[in-house]
Amino acid sequence: MLSYFLRRCLNIIPVLFVVSILAFAFVHLLPGDPARMMAGSDADPATIAMLRHELGLDQSLPVQYLTYMGKLVKGDLGKSLRTKTPVFQEIKQRYLPTMYLAVCGMVWSVVIGVLFGAIAAIYSGRWQDYTAMLLAVSGISMPQFWLGLLAIQLFAVYLGWVPVAGFSGKFSELILPSFTLGATVAAIMARFTLSAFLDVLDEEYISTARAKGLSESTVLWKHAFRNALIPVVTMIGLQFGFLLGGSVVVETVFAWPGLGRYMIEAVAVRDYPVLQALLFLYSFHFVFINLLVDMVYAVINPEIRYT
Amino acid sequence: MAREKTPFTLFCYKFRQRKTALVAGIFIVLLVLTALFAPLIAPYDPFQTDYSLSMQVPSLTHPAGTDIYGRDILSRIIYGSRISLAVGLTSVFVGALVGVTLGLLSGFFGGFLDGLIMRTSDVLFAFPGILLAIAIVAILGPGLVNVVVAVSVFSMPTFARIVRGSTLTLKESLYVRAARSIGASRKRIMFVHILPGTLGGVIVYFTMRIGTSIITASSLSFLGLGAQPPTPEWGAMLAESRDYIGVADHMSIYPGIAIFLTVLFFNLFGDGLRAALDPKTK
């Protein structure tokens, strides 16, 4: 087990390397000269040349890459072109709100998704099954930004139960955005739980459990449900990345002070140090989430460890 | 003697069994007709502004109401179907074309090429589609064409994987070995013998992907990265409606229904196709 974990950890080093090169190269694909953009359109060539030197843009790409990575390790992500504040500070402020959103969204989607999937499996072929799966396919077809707008309309504007938008640290502000974010994943989870559950119900040990006279509820909950949850657990990890991506849209709808909205703002004004830093941050998260998923899977499923 | 069941009649039989998929298919045909004949169907010019009619609630003359500039929302939704269908279909088509080619090459030749293509698709897979699309739009700049490029890029890896998988199986099949033994060229084996065999999975994924692509494309427009005003794009229309929630609710309801139903029916249609092409279902 330990050697598998160690091997898996070593495996991510080349992946991280490739991802970091991509995130670094990304900014150099952006059209336009960053120094010229920073200096403004009416700057004279001397100012631009000075800025270029200051930013290290007059050096070769490998040198620039190493300089950037060196600073990155020390927590220096450069300065925002727009606000001139250190990108690290800006990201630090926005990191937790996004994580709250993603984690709460995941709670919604696991609770709703597993519940609906289990109901559909237990009542397979009956109206409960059809209703749950119709809701699931609707959930997958629902654009998050529209669901968010409808939720604001109903729960915030008309019923007045929760605030319309924004986040100042109160739990009530988290309910609508996290539900909106979690809805699509809940639908995916429901379909996934259903098929995992049905697969398990086909297994021989379920027939055995029934044959030895256990009550149907014991068979379903103690034998089937627990085993059906194994693939669902790995699904949680895989979908977490999807939630982080979806937060870009949901944060924009709810004026959420998180990383996703920051990214959209940065794209709009081509604030390239911010984009670069966010790309690094997001991709490192995805790499580590995948690592975590593999490890959890190894713990749950011994077969995988020895391949 | 009973009529022999060809795979196609079997497919038709199974597909008709699924009522939802059939209904979805009819809706999609209607939607395509709406898009094609938008100028004939739309009651008003989608760009015609009239400030005296700003934010009218739905009525007989304006069934879906008017927006802040007094434009007829129903007409804008009808014209919007052109954009959503065009963007959804084109982006999946381009993604499929490139993905299928790469998958075929990858599976057929193996070795270094295979490794390169599959590792690249691994990296693309690691990113959620919408973030990848935003990054691509950030490079290329906002606009509908760039949205199509962005959305097709993140459709490619799955197509490549599906085709690679079936190519690997088909490469060792008896009829391909037979073709090789009578001296068929590699090109002929790839395109005439292997490619058609991989298309079943491609068609299913193609339909499943259209819905996702329409959602992603309209999300990008909602975020201001895709269609720019005054284009009657559904996502962009919803973005315009945001400031009038609680004031003019119809503005944010009808374009959303249009996206939701379109995507829903494409998804139901895809589910039906998958079930009908799956040999395990009856």
Side-chain angles (χ1 to χ4, degrees):
Chain A
M1 179 77 101
L2 198 67
S3 81
Y4 171 79
F5 278 2
L6 229 61
R7 221 162 1 120
R8 193 61 191 74
C9 286
L10 288 177
N11 262 347
I12 69 163
I13 293 172
V15 179
L16 281 179
F17 180 65
V18 172
V19 164
S20 69
I21 287 188
L22 283 180
F24 176 77
F26 164 81
V27 165
H28 292 271
L29 292 172
L30 288 172
D33 179 357
R36 188 179 297 271
M37 275 163 58
M38 268 186 88
S41 52
D42 49 351
D44 58 285
T47 323
I48 294 175
M50 203 183 75
L51 252 174
R52 190 172 293 145
H53 180 71
E54 234 170 68
L55 292 167
L57 292 168
D58 51 354
Q59 279 161 320
S60 70
L61 283 180
V63 174
Q64 288 190 45
Y65 172 76
L66 289 177
T67 319
Y68 188 84
M69 291 311 283
K71 284 185 178 167
L72 182 90
V73 175
K74 283 182 268 171
D76 178 4
L77 297 168
K79 281 183 181 148
S80 158
L81 292 187
R82 191 176 45 143
T83 60
K84 315 282 182 231
T85 44
V87 176
F88 184 78
Q89 292 298 323
E90 300 271 342
I91 286 182
K92 211 172 111 190
Q93 282 174 21
R94 291 169 170 87
Y95 186 77
L96 276 181
T98 292
M99 286 301 143
Y100 290 145
L101 196 60
V103 171
C104 285
M106 195 39 101
V107 172
W108 278 108
S109 54
V110 170
V111 171
I112 299 175
V114 169
L115 186 72
F116 277 52
I119 287 173
I122 292 167
Y123 297 99
S124 180
R126 285 191 261 168
W127 67 266
Q128 293 93 331
D129 177 13
Y130 294 123
T131 314
M133 283 307 113
L134 190 69
L135 280 172
V137 75
S138 306
I140 290 172
S141 311
M142 187 69 119
Q144 281 175 326
F145 55 94
W146 189 48
L147 184 64
L149 289 179
L150 290 183
I152 292 175
Q153 234 162 48
L154 181 62
F155 295 106
V157 176
Y158 288 109
L159 296 172
W161 289 352
V162 284
V164 172
F167 183 60
S168 55
K170 285 201 286 284
F171 181 71
S172 63
E173 294 163 320
L174 197 55
I175 298 172
L176 281 192
S178 61
F179 173 76
T180 307
L181 184 61
T184 315
V185 177
I188 297 171
M189 284 279 185
R191 287 168 78 135
F192 194 75
T193 308
L194 169 68
S195 73
F197 216 127
L198 290 179
D199 284 347
V200 169
L201 287 177
D202 274 345
E203 294 281 343
E204 281 177 357
Y205 59 81
I206 297 294
S207 314
T208 312
R210 285 201 175 116
K212 70 183 183 187
L214 292 179
S215 72
E216 189 60 19
S217 67
T218 315
V219 173
L220 282 178
W221 297 111
K222 282 218 155 149
H223 294 248
F225 188 62
R226 284 177 153 190
N227 284 298
L229 279 185
I230 293 176
V232 174
V233 170
T234 60
M235 198 65 176
I236 293 176
L238 293 176
Q239 292 296 331
F240 196 76
F242 183 88
L243 281 184
L244 279 182
S247 67
V248 176
V249 175
V250 174
E251 284 180 9
T252 305
V253 175
F254 287 92
W256 195 259
L259 298 173
R261 196 157 65 105
Y262 192 41
M263 180 155 178
I264 294 299
E265 289 166 6
V267 170
V269 297
R270 305 209 156 197
D271 196 340
Y272 84 96
V274 174
L275 277 175
Q276 192 167 34
L278 284 174
L279 276 179
F280 267 100
L281 191 69
Y282 274 117
S283 41
F284 282 8
H285 272 81
F286 301 138
V287 171
F288 281 109
I289 289 165
N290 284 340
L291 176 71
L292 208 66
V293 170
D294 281 0
M295 289 188 168
V296 171
Y297 201 68
V299 173
I300 301 174
N301 184 355
E303 277 174 40
I304 204 94
R305 270 174 246 158
Y306 304 104
T307 50
Chain B
M1 208 176 99
R3 217 179 84 215
E4 198 190 340
K5 273 191 182 148
T6 66
F8 184 69
T9 51
L10 192 68
F11 164 78
C12 292
Y13 169 75
K14 279 195 205 166
F15 191 75
R16 275 201 303 272
Q17 293 294 97
R18 316 240 336 169
K19 293 282 185 299
T20 45
L22 205 61
V23 173
I26 294 168
F27 178 88
I28 291 169
V29 171
L30 288 178
L31 188 72
V32 171
L33 290 176
T34 309
L36 285 177
F37 298 107
L40 298 176
I41 300 167
Y44 297 91
D45 177 348
F47 298 102
Q48 183 63 52
T49 57
D50 181 348
Y51 288 94
S52 65
L53 288 173
S54 179
M55 294 199 281
Q56 299 259 307
V57 290
S59 62
L60 282 177
T61 45
H62 293 282
T66 59
D67 65 9
I68 177 79
Y69 303 109
R71 296 175 296 205
D72 180 54
I73 291 180
L74 180 67
S75 304
R76 290 177 68 73
I77 290 175
I78 289 172
Y79 272 88
S81 67
R82 292 183 149 190
I83 298 171
S84 285
L85 282 183
V87 169
L89 291 172
T90 324
S91 57
V92 184
F93 185 76
V94 173
L97 205 65
V98 181
V100 168
T101 314
L102 291 178
L104 198 61
L105 293 173
S106 187
F108 193 79
F109 291 109
F112 174 74
L113 187 71
D114 182 33
L116 183 72
I117 293 175
M118 284 303 116
R119 290 298 81 74
T120 314
S121 79
D122 283 348
V123 172
L124 288 181
F125 261 119
F127 280 88
I130 182 97
L131 279 186
L132 195 65
I134 290 171
I136 293 171
V137 173
I139 297 172
L140 300 176
L144 269 180
V145 177
N146 296 339
V147 165
V148 173
V149 175
V151 176
S152 35
V153 168
F154 82 89
S155 295
M156 284 172 201
T158 319
F159 281 113
R161 281 197 177 182
I162 292 171
V163 173
R164 176 181 178 266
S166 26
T167 304
L168 285 178
T169 326
L170 291 172
K171 202 165 76 170
E172 301 307 322
S173 69
L174 197 60
Y175 73 87
V176 169
R177 278 190 290 175
R180 197 173 287 144
S181 74
I182 59 169
S185 68
R186 282 204 293 206
K187 212 164 89 188
R188 187 173 165 80
I189 291 175
M190 262 169 72
F191 290 101
V192 178
H193 297 285
I194 293 182
L195 182 64
T198 64
L199 289 184
V202 170
I203 292 170
V204 169
Y205 187 69
F206 191 98
T207 32
M208 309 282 277
R209 196 73 210 184
I210 294 173
T212 323
S213 297
I214 291 178
I215 287 197
T216 312
S218 62
S219 302
L220 289 173
S221 289
F222 177 82
L223 294 172
L225 303 175
Q228 302 297 319
T231 318
E233 202 277 343
W234 296 338
M237 288 169 75
L238 285 174
E240 282 172 26
S241 81
R242 273 177 68 199
D243 298 334
Y244 309 102
I245 286 180
V247 183
D249 290 333
H250 61 274
M251 279 173 63
S252 56
I253 288 176
Y254 295 100
I257 293 177
I259 305 178
F260 173 63
L261 286 183
T262 304
V263 176
L264 178 69
F265 286 121
F266 270 111
N267 283 340
L268 289 173
F269 187 74
D271 276 349
L273 267 189
R274 186 176 53 182
L277 286 170
D278 184 355
K280 277 183 281 181
T281 59
K282 289 193 186 71

